[in-house]
């Protein structure tokens, strides 16, 4: 299998599980979170804070958008 095929399979599995377990989560949010984790998957430990910061920004933006929608 190629890296792209494995990545697509992993993303498809994540999306399938999310549909079953957390149907309210937008697919776009999950795709963005997956992309962040994939981008930082080989970062050295001291660089892993970039992943945490990116995820925090993504979550904050999502929460803010949901607060504005209510």
């Amino acid at each position: 299998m190629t890296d792209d095929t494995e990545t697509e399979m992993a993303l498809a599995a994540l999306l399938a599980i999310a549909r079953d377990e957390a149907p309210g989560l937008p697919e776009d949010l999950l795709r963005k979170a997956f992309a962040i984790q994939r981008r930082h998957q080989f970062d050295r430990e001291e660089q892993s804070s970039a992943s945490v910061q990116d995820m925090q920004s993504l979550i904050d933006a999502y929460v803010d958008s949901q607060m504005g929608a209510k």
Side-chain angles (χ1 to χ4, degrees):
M1 261 186 264
T2 67
D3 187 43
D4 289 340
T5 303
E6 290 174 356
T7 298
E8 288 301 316
M9 289 175 58
L11 178 57
L14 173 65
L15 295 175
I17 291 168
R19 279 191 292 276
D20 291 341
E21 300 296 325
L25 282 175
E27 184 175 314
D28 184 57
L29 177 69
L30 296 169
R31 286 179 177 278
K32 288 177 181 176
F34 185 85
I36 289 169
Q37 293 303 312
R38 188 166 190 286
R39 182 171 56 245
H40 293 291
Q41 70 181 336
F42 297 114
D43 288 353
R44 291 184 300 166
E45 193 168 320
E46 61 269 8
Q47 294 173 332
S48 69
S49 65
S51 176
V52 172
Q53 290 173 348
D54 288 352
M55 290 296 289
Q56 186 65 50
S57 294
L58 176 65
I59 294 166
D60 288 345
Y62 172 71
V63 170
D64 289 346
S65 73
Q66 295 303 298
M67 298 300 288
K70 293 184 179 191

